[in-house]
Amino acid sequence: MKRRTLPVATALAATACLLLTGCGGGNGSQDQDKIAGADSGDAATSSSPSPSSGSVGRPDMTLPGDVKETFEGWKTGDATKDAVLADAGRAQTAVTYAVTQGDPNSPALAFYQAGTALPGSQDWVKSIVDAGFTFSGSVRYYAVKTSLFDEKSAGVSYCADESKAFNKNRKTQKVDRVPPTDDSYVQYSTRLELNSKGVWQTTKLESQRGNKACTA
């Protein structure tokens, strides 16, 4: 098996490729199709996203002990941007959680994703589960940038370091530890929209493996 054909971060990357043809939909407005680019937005400067205050009943996404996610610099000091970044991070975690739970229909996925992002992620989680795999190791998310398009839409771009993330056989629990390559680093560009519950859902997603912005 080639390096990380199934783990979580790669799952989102492959899903992104499937979603590229769906990124032009919407109501026809210019902002509707915007996705954060690698060279747009403001760089975040704090350590990690933190739960926002409020009454939104968020789903539990406690990851197994051998799975870790680190979000470097996912705060800007701006309340709105930080809320966007927090939910963008949770959308990423929701996929990780769904894989580790073996549940393509995890409520966490539908809570933090919508639009073309949701069915793509659900299908990919199913492919991982059906293949008998889960995920072990750690992924680092860094070089994050965010743009506010208007009061209810935004874009976030970031890099993922999957060099310490590996396939894990769900039955045998054997972890396939293989050396990293440039493809272990992924650049993501996402669009988020604020729903009626006050959650910034990821609705569109694009990615590029081995992007120099993430490997330099």
Side-chain angles (χ1 to χ4, degrees):
M1 182 178 295
K2 294 182 179 180
R3 175 167 181 79
R4 267 186 299 283
T5 52
L6 293 176
V8 174
T10 298
L12 278 180
T15 298
C17 295
L18 294 175
L19 295 177
L20 291 179
T21 56
C23 292
N27 61 15
S29 68
Q30 184 176 3
D31 284 343
Q32 183 68 24
D33 297 332
K34 285 185 180 179
I35 296 180
D39 58 353
S40 65
D42 300 319
T45 56
S46 298
S47 59
S48 63
S50 58
S52 59
S53 59
S55 59
V56 178
R58 297 180 180 275
D60 173 70
M61 297 192 295
T62 302
L63 299 176
D66 64 337
V67 176
K68 182 180 179 180
E69 293 181 322
T70 302
F71 296 84
E72 293 184 356
W74 281 56
K75 286 186 180 180
T76 66
D78 178 273
T80 301
K81 288 184 177 180
D82 287 348
V84 171
L85 288 171
D87 280 342
R90 294 180 186 118
Q92 184 84 52
T93 299
V95 177
T96 307
Y97 180 74
V99 171
T100 60
Q101 295 297 304
D103 183 9
N105 296 312
S106 168
L109 275 177
F111 191 90
Y112 290 112
Q113 296 192 19
T116 55
L118 177 58
S121 292
Q122 289 174 325
D123 288 347
W124 193 259
V125 171
K126 185 177 186 301
S127 73
I128 298 172
V129 174
D130 289 350
F133 286 91
T134 183
F135 164 72
S136 181
S138 62
V139 179
R140 178 173 63 97
Y141 302 105
Y142 60 103
V144 64
K145 298 179 182 180
T146 183
S147 300
L148 298 179
F149 303 145
D150 54 43
E151 292 182 353
K152 293 187 176 181
S153 64
V156 175
S157 68
Y158 55 95
C159 294
D161 173 3
E162 303 174 10
S163 61
K164 297 179 180 179
F166 308 100
N167 290 332
K168 179 179 178 180
N169 187 291
R170 195 173 291 275
K171 288 184 178 180
T172 67
Q173 300 295 293
K174 181 179 179 180
V175 178
D176 183 18
R177 299 183 184 277
V178 294
T181 67
D182 283 349
D183 282 347
S184 303
Y185 300 87
V186 189
Q187 185 178 60
Y188 291 97
S189 295
T190 67
R191 176 184 173 86
L192 297 94
E193 298 180 19
L194 185 64
N195 69 11
S196 59
K197 296 180 180 179
V199 177
W200 286 93
Q201 291 182 305
T202 295
T203 58
K204 297 179 182 179
L205 174 68
E206 295 178 0
S207 72
Q208 183 180 14
R209 288 198 162 272
N211 188 292
K212 292 183 179 180
C214 298
T215 59

